Amino acid sequence: MPKNNPIPQPTILISENWDDYELLDSGAGAKLERFGNYTFVRPEPQAMWQPTFSEKVWNGAHAHFQGSDDEDTGSKWEFRKKVPEQWQMHYKDISFWAEATPFRHMGIFPEHGCQWDWMSQQIKNAARPIRVLNLFAYTGLSTLALAQAGAQVTHVDASKKIISWARDNQVLSKLEERPIRWIIDDALKFTQREARRGSKYDALVIDPPKFGRGPKGEIWKLHESLPILLNTCKDILSDKPLFVVLTTYAVKASALSLHYLLEELTSRYDGEIIVGEMALREKSAGRLLSTAAFGRWQARYVSK
Ligand SMILES: C[S@@+](CC[C@H](N)C(=O)[O-])C[C@H]1O[C@@H](n2cnc3c(N)ncnc32)[C@H](O)[C@@H]1O
């Protein structure tokens, strides 16, 4: 690669449009967050600094997740105050169920709010029918934001339980009439099948875990599987794609790696790539807590 190839400049995206979620404080390897009316302490290895709020404030949280950041079986919630099994939350016009799951996740990755806003705007600006493939699509918040903006969405996740949660969120958001296909499948296998069938998509949203399993036990290992997946994605992009959003969590894949992966995927189209980190801003001291790396490709069309 030529030495004068431009150096990608990382961008920090912050999701600041929440009412129902707040990162209250962070530090000492943990974060204190509010989901609706309930507060939680969860492990956060990135928070290597000192917390701002007092121990008393932290101890007053409704529940504390005991254990490491890894999803090992020995970890569990310690509830200090009553928390319902599920409760409703909202992001703009999207409504959804939150839950303190045994895997420490709550059914929402709030740092994605900025991506939902950006993608919705792209769909609206396109002013043409847009088909989106959402892989590893979890509880469906990006799917619902896309559908609300007018896209036709294919939502793929390996877990039947998670898809059922996503469908409950669709009902809660009153988006039952929107064109969403709910697919329980392995993300790679489904994409390969779509490529063989000649199915095309105008936009891709890919939020893979570090390690996962398809419904038939198919193994997903980010470093091995992502290049194969993205290579297959070349065959399903339409002639006039709109965007690709790729995010990774807790893995040794920097924003720069995502840049070069997206460059390969979109080399035959005219567009631009931005990469960087997604972060949440603390209420306590305003520090930015990085939670994920992202890469985003956006088409550059000459407007007629
Ligand atoms: C949204 S991703 C990653 C979430 C978060 N970014 C993280 O790393 O913890 C998690 C989702 O991927 C799904 N998943 C895991 N392996 C999969 C596979 N092979 N095919 C399709 N979905 C998969 C899981 O069921 C889950 O809903």
Side-chain angles (χ1 to χ4, degrees), residues 143-208:
T143 291
L144 297 179
L146 288 158
Q148 191 169 57
Q152 300 164 31
V153 191
T154 300
H155 172 116
V156 182
D157 198 281
S159 160
K160 197 174 168 185
K161 203 172 152 198
I162 290 288
I163 294 246
S164 147
W165 188 345
R167 297 189 78 142
D168 289 344
N169 288 340
Q170 180 187 21
V171 173
L172 203 59
S173 297
K174 300 191 169 52
L175 291 170
E176 295 104 307
E177 305 303 320
R178 297 293 166 130
I180 301 174
R181 282 201 298 161
W182 302 102
I183 312 273
I184 304 168
D185 206 342
D186 176 62
L188 177 57
K189 268 198 178 164
F190 178 78
T191 309
Q192 288 169 334
R193 213 171 297 126
E194 286 293 77
R196 285 198 294 275
R197 287 192 278 245
S199 289
K200 301 286 178 191
Y201 292 89
D202 306 297
L204 305 175
V205 183
I206 309 171
D207 182 26

Side-chain angles (χ1 to χ4, degrees), residues 71 105 109 136 138 157-159 162 185-187 207-209 212-214 218 220 249:
E71 293 172 16
H105 299 307
F109 289 91
F136 309 95
Y138 197 48
D157 198 281
S159 160
I162 290 288
D185 206 342
D186 176 62
D207 182 26
R213 273 181 203 281
E218 300 92 338
W220 170 268
Y249 278 72

Side-chain angles (χ1 to χ4, degrees), residues 48-261:
M48 290 179 268
W49 45 82
Q50 287 307 305
T52 303
F53 289 162
S54 67
E55 238 181 278
K56 192 169 163 223
V57 173
W58 281 71
N59 285 337
H62 286 77
H64 291 237
F65 194 79
Q66 305 294 353
S68 79
D69 187 50
D70 287 329
E71 293 172 16
D72 51 35
T73 45
S75 310
K76 61 173 171 42
W77 286 103
E78 181 203 328
F79 289 95
R80 299 185 181 175
K81 293 179 196 166
K82 202 162 163 42
V83 175
E85 217 166 281
Q86 286 192 317
W87 64 100
Q88 287 185 24
M89 284 180 58
H90 309 276
Y91 182 80
K92 298 188 173 175
D93 293 332
I94 303 289
S95 302
F96 48 90
W97 295 102
E99 185 181 322
T101 72
F103 312 106
R104 90 182 180 282
H105 299 307
M106 319 295 286
I108 312 124
F109 289 91
E111 59 275 15
H112 278 264
C114 60
Q115 304 289 12
W116 307 333
D117 293 348
W118 183 84
M119 294 190 294
S120 301
Q121 203 50 56
Q122 301 306 309
I123 302 283
K124 287 177 190 160
N125 292 350
R128 62 179 166 106
I130 297 294
R131 285 191 81 202
V132 187
L133 178 61
N134 188 3
L135 297 171
F136 309 95
Y138 197 48
T139 54
L141 305 192
S142 50
T143 291
L144 297 179
L146 288 158
Q148 191 169 57
Q152 300 164 31
V153 191
T154 300
H155 172 116
V156 182
D157 198 281
S159 160
K160 197 174 168 185
K161 203 172 152 198
I162 290 288
I163 294 246
S164 147
W165 188 345
R167 297 189 78 142
D168 289 344
N169 288 340
Q170 180 187 21
V171 173
L172 203 59
S173 297
K174 300 191 169 52
L175 291 170
E176 295 104 307
E177 305 303 320
R178 297 293 166 130
I180 301 174
R181 282 201 298 161
W182 302 102
I183 312 273
I184 304 168
D185 206 342
D186 176 62
L188 177 57
K189 268 198 178 164
F190 178 78
T191 309
Q192 288 169 334
R193 213 171 297 126
E194 286 293 77
R196 285 198 294 275
R197 287 192 278 245
S199 289
K200 301 286 178 191
Y201 292 89
D202 306 297
L204 305 175
V205 183
I206 309 171
D207 182 26
K210 182 164 53 175
F211 180 84
R213 273 181 203 281
K216 296 198 176 120
E218 300 92 338
I219 304 279
W220 170 268
K221 282 188 189 165
L222 190 121
H223 288 93
E224 291 166 25
S225 316
L226 186 60
I228 304 170
L229 175 66
L230 293 191
N231 205 29
T232 310
C233 284
K234 283 183 190 165
D235 297 331
I236 59 161
L237 275 178
S238 70
D239 291 341
K240 211 179 166 194
L242 190 63
F243 63 77
V244 179
V245 173
L246 173 62
T247 42
T248 58
Y249 278 72
V251 285
K252 285 187 191 135
S254 75
L256 291 174
S257 316
L258 303 188
H259 177 96
Y260 296 118
L261 279 169

